[in-house]
Amino acid sequence: MQVNQDDFLPLPALPDPHQLVTYDPAWTYPSACAGGGGMALLRVWRMADGGHLAIVTESGVAVSITNAAEEISAALTVRYPGPLVILEHYPAGDGAPHDRLDQVLAVPGSTPRWRPIWPTSPVNPDYTTNRAWMDAYGTTLLSATTR
């Protein structure tokens, strides 16, 4: 599947948001940044179309998930071939009173891009879609702690 820099995949339907494919609370990833890498909570689910949804949660250990977006995307693309939606998750407390969820798109040879998923302002054109997805899946996914 060829992905262009402007092609964010839609937020996926999940057959069972309670059934994780991968749960790794100490997943390590490489980074070209000075720290050389970092550690995050990685949770992956199978999407209804057979692809995967990965939520990478910032842990505050070494290089941030945002600064390593290209390397994280490359590592996950190899491990989970096919359609892949990657969401960056920053838990409440890093300057915001709420969790933040952003979709990341890192196409080789291009600068990564982010699309806010939650929270978003009601004036955001994606607000209704994102709100419905968060109500159907998001809260369950962000609270998933085991397989």
Side-chain angles (χ1 to χ4, degrees), residues 35-88:
M39 184 184 317
L41 165 59
L42 174 66
R43 293 168 288 184
V44 180
W45 294 262
R46 186 167 311 284
M47 298 187 313
D49 69 1
H52 292 90
L53 166 69
I55 297 181
V56 182
T57 300
E58 175 65 35
S59 68
V61 176
V63 177
S64 75
I65 58 175
T66 299
N67 288 338
E70 293 160 300
E71 292 89 347
I72 289 171
S73 293
L76 292 175
T77 299
V78 167
R79 188 169 174 185
Y80 303 100
L84 176 65
V85 173
I86 301 172
L87 301 179
E88 287 186 353

Side-chain angles (χ1 to χ4, degrees), residues 1-8 105 107 110 113:
M1 175 179 178
Q2 182 68 27
V3 177
N4 296 316
Q5 181 60 24
D6 295 323
D7 293 339
F8 281 99
L105 179 63
V107 176
S110 299
R113 293 187 47 226

